């Protein structure tokens, strides 16, 4: 006979995240100042996610064996080409989206609408753009308790440095526009 968990009302309330109460991060990644990518909102809902901003709000930090995040973007806003160390699944909550596959976004293009889902394999470069006329939201599920870090396409680093952002090898994001400098030895 298997054991089941019993929850008091107050305990289960700590495990609920309501869409309307999601807390976005607008500077979660190195591309957050790059024109065309500078209006996106990122969400870390369950698990640590892959944000490069240590101040990203995590709605439920407890390990679940997977991570759930989200991206909300206005029309024509792009999430730059990147890959992950784990598989990632996107589920379209709202909006119309184009997924561009490959390091240079030219391997394949897939259009998705509300209710559609795409599974991206480990280490496959992808980027995505809201191609609709209204704000759109994607749910993102990453495998494992530790989803690793983001591997950006080389051009993303070049663009980011033009706007004052530098990503160190350990995942620390340096903002030279705020007077931050690269720590000695890094």
């Amino acid at each position: 006979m298997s054991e089941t968990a019993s929850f008091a009302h107050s305990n289960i309330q700590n495990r609920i995240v309501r869409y309307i109460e999601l807390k976005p991060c607008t500077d979660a990644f190195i591309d957050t100042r790059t024109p065309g990518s500078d209006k996106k909102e990122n969400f870390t809902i369950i698990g640590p996610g892959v944000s490069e901003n240590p101040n990203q709000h995590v709605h439920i930090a407890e390990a679940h064996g997977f991570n759930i995040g989200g991206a909300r973007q206005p029309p024509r806003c792009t999430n730059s080409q990147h890959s992950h160390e784990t598989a990632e699944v996107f589920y379209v909550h709202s909006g119309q989206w184009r997924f561009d596959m490959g390091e240079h976004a030219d391997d394949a293009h897939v259009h998705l609408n509300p209710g559609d889902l795409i599974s991206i394999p480990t280490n496959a470069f992808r980027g995505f753009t809201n191609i609709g006329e209204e704000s759109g939201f994607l749910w993102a599920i990453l495998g494992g308790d530790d989803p690793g870090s983001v591997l950006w396409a080389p051009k993303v680093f070049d663009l980011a440095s033009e706007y004052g952002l530098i990503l160190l090898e350990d995942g620390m994001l340096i903002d030279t526009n705020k007077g931050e400098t690269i720590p000695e030895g890094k």
Side-chain angles (χ1 to χ4, degrees), residues 9 16 26 35 49 54 86 93-94 101 110 125 162 177:
H9 185 265
I16 296 171
T26 58
T86 65
H93 177 79
S94 61
M101 304 304 297
V110 177
F125 276 99
E162 290 180 32
N177 289 348

Side-chain angles (χ1 to χ4, degrees), residues 86-137:
T86 65
E88 184 172 33
V89 173
F90 290 96
Y91 177 78
V92 178
H93 177 79
S94 61
Q96 297 175 320
W97 298 84
R98 185 186 70 234
F99 282 75
D100 301 310
M101 304 304 297
E103 181 179 334
H104 304 286
D106 57 4
D107 287 357
H109 308 284
V110 177
H111 292 238
L112 298 176
N113 295 302
D116 293 344
L117 179 141
I118 187 171
S119 173
I120 311 281
T122 301
N123 298 319
F125 276 99
R126 85 296 307 258
F128 46 89
T129 302
N130 176 353
I131 59 171
E133 295 303 317
E134 297 179 9
S135 182
F137 187 92

Side-chain angles (χ1 to χ4, degrees), residues 57-92:
H57 178 76
V58 178
H59 291 79
I60 299 175
E62 177 185 340
H64 280 64
F66 56 86
N67 285 255
I68 295 181
R72 184 166 47 214
Q73 297 175 195
R76 289 163 290 290
C77 185
T78 295
N79 195 305
S80 301
Q81 294 306 108
H82 67 284
S83 69
H84 292 287
E85 299 168 359
T86 65
E88 184 172 33
V89 173
F90 290 96
Y91 177 78
V92 178

